[in-house]
Amino acid sequence: MFFFKGTTKLSCNVQAENATKTLICDLGNPMKSGAQISATFHFMVHNLDQVENITLSMQIKSKNIRNSSSEEIYLTFPVQVVTQIYLTGASLPENIVLPYVDLESSADLEVKNEPLPMIQHTYELRNNGPSAISGAVLEIDWPAAFLGNSLLFKSKIIPWGQINCTVNTSNAENWVETMSTMNPLSITTENSRHNLNKRDVSKVENTMEEIIFNLTCTTVTCVKIMCRVGLLEKEKRAVININSQLRMEFFVQNHKKQFTFQSKASYIVQEVPYKVQPVEFPSDNTMVVTRIDRSGPEVVLPIPVWCIIVAVLGGLLLVALMVFILWKCGFFKRKLPPTEREELL
């Protein structure tokens, strides 16, 4: 829309010549001496992928014989890349309950290990625009072992969208990776290959003395899940679900403690599909926590004496009521069949 300063609407036409479009607006006929006009123009520009800036030229032309054209003014607008990337996470469910295990029965321990509780953390990388991204790396630290003992039984990664993940762990048989159409991100650096960092044993022992034990990468050994995110346009998202079944042995040995399972995710944008690069590539991190509760033993409460007395009295009252009803109905006054002597008489 094109307007004068005020409420008067400009009359404009667009003329195309080769790849150049010219906007011609009538400023008034005639335009009196000393007149001042203020106008607002709104342009929508497309195909800016390989453009660094946009230049517009402005000039006033008239039908005067002298000075019919004003000096041409150039306005240059730099093209910028702006992306709003949000990383969110959730635990489904927010807390799990471990089954009760009788430490005095080894057979019971084997039975309770079969229905292992499941932990699921979901991370979502969402692009709110206005610019798109063509490459990002999402890293997730996932607690996996404590002092050499595995905390996980089976784990599965389910990506959704333009995302592909690999797990850097020596126990690859315990992980199921669902691959997307993208090429997997290969991790070959020595630091990431030995990401199962060793913890200070004395520090861990001091932490274990606390009532609440947080399963984080500072207290246990974590595996690193590396995800490569592809093209993510405006209002698009990439989601990854991580499911893990817990082993019961660790939690049975520390049955007097309360636990929280904490994973941490971080991302950084590395590529954009434009010639112009952003001033700073977006990055952020977040954490998801699952509370681990435990069910207590089934306690059989003794039946109170008053309940027994009430039950006995109630039963006797019911029997008496039934006898009374039968008596009223004449059940006890029924006529007996005649004897042989009565029949001879």
Side-chain angles (χ1 to χ4, degrees):
M1 301 293 294
F2 315 100
F3 295 94
F4 279 120
K5 185 177 181 181
T7 58
T8 306
K9 184 177 180 180
L10 286 176
S11 176
C12 299
N13 296 313
V14 178
Q15 294 183 356
E17 183 178 352
N18 297 329
T20 303
K21 293 183 178 181
T22 304
L23 180 67
I24 301 176
C25 297
D26 187 4
L27 301 181
N29 188 15
M31 186 176 180
K32 298 181 180 180
S33 175
Q36 295 183 358
I37 295 176
S38 177
T40 301
F41 299 90
H42 296 273
F43 297 95
M44 182 176 293
V45 185
H46 301 279
N47 302 323
L48 298 177
D49 297 3
Q50 303 300 321
V51 177
E52 295 183 354
N53 53 67
I54 300 173
T55 301
L56 302 178
S57 63
M58 302 182 66
Q59 188 178 32
I60 297 178
K61 295 184 178 182
S62 68
K63 295 180 180 180
N64 295 344
I65 299 176
R66 299 179 180 179
N67 300 326
S68 59
S69 298
S70 67
E71 181 182 355
E72 192 170 3
I73 299 176
Y74 294 92
L75 301 177
T76 300
F77 303 93
V79 176
Q80 296 181 346
V81 176
V82 178
T83 58
Q84 296 181 1
I85 308 295
Y86 294 96
L87 176 63
T88 57
S91 175
L92 301 173
E94 294 183 355
N95 64 293
I96 62 173
V97 180
L98 300 179
Y100 174 73
V101 177
D102 187 2
L103 298 179
E104 298 179 356
S105 174
S106 59
D108 187 46
L109 180 59
E110 295 178 1
V111 174
K112 293 298 183 180
N113 261 333
E114 302 215 356
L116 297 174
M118 177 74 71
I119 286 182
Q120 175 178 321
H121 286 186
T122 300
Y123 287 100
E124 177 185 276
L125 198 64
R126 185 176 70 257
N127 183 8
N128 282 2
S131 304
I133 64 173
S134 57
V137 173
L138 176 65
E139 297 183 1
I140 301 173
D141 294 325
W142 192 260
F146 179 75
L147 296 180
N149 298 320
S150 178
L151 300 175
L152 310 177
F153 183 66
K154 289 292 184 180
S155 300
K156 186 176 183 180
I157 300 176
I158 305 175
W160 185 87
Q162 294 293 325
I163 184 172
N164 192 33
C165 302
T166 57
V167 182
N168 182 30
T169 176
S170 58
N171 298 325
E173 66 277 2
N174 293 334
W175 285 83
V176 179
E177 303 169 18
T178 304
M179 310 304 291
S180 65
T181 56
M182 297 176 56
N183 294 327
L185 177 66
S186 58
I187 307 300
T188 57
T189 60
E190 191 68 20
N191 292 334
S192 60
R193 186 172 298 174
H194 293 281
N195 184 65
L196 300 180
N197 300 321
K198 294 183 178 179
R199 308 300 177 188
D200 187 355
V201 176
S202 60
K203 181 179 179 180
V204 171
E205 290 178 351
N206 294 333
T207 306
M208 286 300 294
E209 295 178 358
E210 301 177 359
I211 298 178
I212 299 178
F213 185 66
N214 299 320
L215 299 176
T216 65
C217 293
T218 58
T219 57
V220 302
T221 303
C222 290
V223 298
K224 187 175 289 292
I225 303 172
M226 302 288 292
C227 299
R228 180 74 179 181
V229 182
L231 179 63
L232 206 60
E233 298 176 337
K234 180 182 178 181
E235 302 300 334
K236 299 295 183 179
R237 59 177 184 166
V239 181
I240 175 175
N241 293 325
I242 308 173
N243 302 330
S244 288
Q245 288 180 313
L246 297 177
R247 290 185 179 273
M248 290 295 299
E249 291 86 350
F250 171 76
F251 301 97
V252 170
Q253 294 171 2
N254 301 277
H255 62 281
K256 295 183 180 180
K257 298 185 181 297
Q258 181 180 336
F259 296 91
T260 60
F261 188 96
Q262 303 179 10
S263 66
K264 183 180 179 180
S266 60
Y267 81 91
I268 182 171
V269 176
Q270 294 182 334
E271 300 176 8
V272 292
Y274 309 109
K275 183 177 181 180
V276 177
Q277 298 297 304
V279 178
E280 182 179 1
F281 286 97
S283 63
D284 197 5
N285 63 81
T286 188
M287 179 179 293
V288 175
V289 180
T290 300
R291 179 178 173 180
I292 303 176
D293 299 324
R294 60 181 68 253
S295 60
E298 297 181 0
V299 179
V300 180
L301 298 177
I303 301 176
V305 178
W306 66 268
C307 289
I308 300 176
I309 296 176
V310 171
V312 172
L313 295 177
L316 294 176
L317 181 60
L318 181 61
V319 172
L321 181 62
M322 292 180 61
V323 171
F324 177 76
I325 294 175
L326 292 175
W327 177 73
K328 277 292 187 181
C329 295
F331 179 79
F332 300 104
K333 296 180 180 180
R334 58 182 179 175
K335 188 177 181 180
L336 299 175
T339 61
E340 295 180 358
R341 185 176 180 180
E342 291 177 348
E343 289 181 352
L344 292 176
L345 297 175

